[in-house]
Amino acid sequence: MASLITKAVIPAAGLGTRFLPATKAMPKEMLPVVDKPAIQYVVEEAVAAGLRDVLMITGRNKSALENHFDRVGELEATLLQKGDSDRLRKVNFSTDLAEVHYLRQGDPLGLGHAVLRARMHVGNEPFAVLLGDDLIDERDPLLTRMLQVQAERNASIIALLEVEPAMANHYGIATVEPTDAEDLVRITGLVEKPAEGTQPSNLAIIGRYVLRPEVFDVLERTRPGKGGEIQLTDALQELASDDSIAGGVYGVVFRGRRYDTGDRLDYIKAIVQLAVEREDLGPDLRPWLKEFSDGLD
Ligand code: G1P
């Protein structure tokens, strides 16, 4: 069954305090992962899944995002003059990639609030939400699978990843029951960042959602939860608890390659993992990395 969904929402209003001072004057979404800003991977993923209408929920200090997905005449002219068609192609690629819209979040009241801000743009149709800290390898098309499941089940769909128990308090955690499909579970409960040792499972929400528009009504009445923020997880818990609201919630259990760029250590790992596989960098990086690691205690 083909999906009719066309819109992706990308919350990008966070302050990126974990990366200060790099993020003092630059949005964290612009931090390069190898040679592309993190946000471009996410937009490319949306487009690869057929979602060319992208709404970014931004805040102050985010003009670099708009510039990145816009023309830059002077640079284009210089590259053209030099005959550097390879770099010109790279510059134009991000300009033409998607139809990108921007909306400021206003008050930083949490992920649920950021998603609710998309209501006017999205209207009354299902849509995807992609969080920029999670990068999904393009060879493992998670979002495409989620869109397919959404079309089949007419429910809301979240992406789940099995995590180490000690990491469960960093994520929304799901209680699930099996379905007839091997990679698909029905969500019976969700809890945002449960205290250590209290998690109902090791299945964590990673930053990909395909949601029915009824989630907006639920978000309107969702009270602040964990950390005093309006949590998307809490709204999804309500959808999961009553199938009659909007068909319930299903989880696609992802077993592919995912790179976390949310904190400094994971960000460094993501760059190394992606760079060793690159055709232009991997052949030189791999032997160097081996030699370097042999020299470590
Ligand atoms: C958000 C969600 C959380 C989810 C996580 C995935 O948390 O609230 O449920 O597991 O993204 O990356 P954040 O990382 O923004 O604190």
Side-chain angles (χ1 to χ4, degrees):
M1 206 187 262
S3 170
L4 301 172
I5 299 178
T6 57
K7 289 177 183 158
V9 175
I10 304 181
L15 296 176
T17 47
R18 281 185 258 190
F19 287 90
L20 282 169
T23 49
K24 186 179 171 194
M26 182 185 79
K28 69 167 176 173
E29 292 80 10
M30 287 301 294
L31 288 171
V33 177
V34 190
D35 51 8
K36 261 193 292 193
I39 190 76
Q40 188 175 327
Y41 288 86
V42 182
V43 175
E44 285 180 14
E45 181 191 338
V47 171
L51 314 181
R52 283 203 79 251
D53 180 334
V54 173
L55 175 67
M56 284 189 199
I57 311 294
T58 67
R60 289 183 182 281
N61 241 343
K62 302 284 182 171
S63 52
L65 289 176
E66 297 188 28
N67 291 338
H68 183 71
F69 293 101
D70 193 8
R71 297 231 90 83
V72 48
E74 206 182 334
L75 176 62
E76 289 171 35
T78 308
L79 292 171
L80 195 64
Q81 206 176 17
K82 284 186 179 167
D84 194 342
S85 55
D86 195 35
R87 291 203 174 89
L88 183 60
R89 195 182 45 76
K90 283 183 187 165
V91 166
N92 286 337
F93 182 78
S94 59
T95 312
D96 302 329
L97 188 57
E99 181 72 29
V100 190
H101 307 260
Y102 302 88
L103 182 69
R104 286 207 184 187
Q105 184 175 0
D107 298 320
L109 300 180
L111 177 60
H113 176 255
V115 171
L116 181 55
R117 297 283 288 131
R119 181 171 207 164
M120 283 279 259
H121 182 85
V122 167
N124 196 27
E125 50 188 83
F127 64 104
V129 176
L130 293 85
L131 305 188
D133 286 348
D134 290 301
L135 303 187
I136 303 295
D137 198 297
E138 59 186 354
R139 294 163 293 183
D140 301 315
L142 169 63
L143 189 56
T144 303
R145 172 69 180 139
M146 294 173 73
L147 291 168
Q148 180 196 18
V149 172
Q150 204 287 326
E152 285 166 7
R153 310 256 166 178
N154 194 22
S156 292
I157 317 297
I158 60 178
L160 297 172
L161 181 78
E162 200 168 333
V163 297
E164 295 292 325
M167 292 300 291
N169 59 348
H170 293 268
Y171 296 95
I173 300 292
T175 313
V176 305
E177 53 187 41
T179 68
D180 49 1
E182 188 267 332
D183 67 338
L184 190 67
V185 289
R186 201 177 78 85
I187 309 294
T188 57
L190 289 166
V191 51
E192 179 68 7
K193 303 196 177 99
E196 223 174 316
T198 67
Q199 69 271 20
S201 82
N202 296 330
L203 287 174
I205 306 175
I206 50 172
R208 298 295 178 272
Y209 309 77
V210 181
L211 303 176
R212 281 194 29 175
E214 289 85 345
V215 73
F216 293 127
D217 286 335
V218 178
L219 281 168
E220 295 271 11
R221 56 174 185 264
T222 300
R223 308 293 2 131
K226 195 89 191 176
E229 297 188 341
I230 297 171
Q231 297 292 349
L232 181 58
T233 303
D234 293 344
L236 295 174
Q237 155 63 23
E238 189 175 329
L239 289 184
S241 68
D242 183 355
D243 279 8
S244 71
I245 304 177
V249 182
Y250 288 82
V252 170
V253 182
F254 184 60
R255 300 198 175 86
R257 287 154 282 196
R258 167 224 181 210
Y259 313 98
D260 186 352
T261 62
D263 71 31
R264 290 173 304 164
L265 183 61
D266 288 329
Y267 170 72
I268 293 166
K269 290 182 193 168
I271 291 175
V272 174
Q273 283 172 297
L274 285 162
V276 292
E277 301 217 16
R278 284 265 298 251
E279 269 174 30
D280 54 347
L281 297 167
D284 289 335
L285 181 59
R286 279 192 293 269
W288 176 84
L289 202 56
K290 276 195 185 131
E291 206 184 308
F292 179 73
S293 70
D294 285 348
L296 297 174
D297 302 335

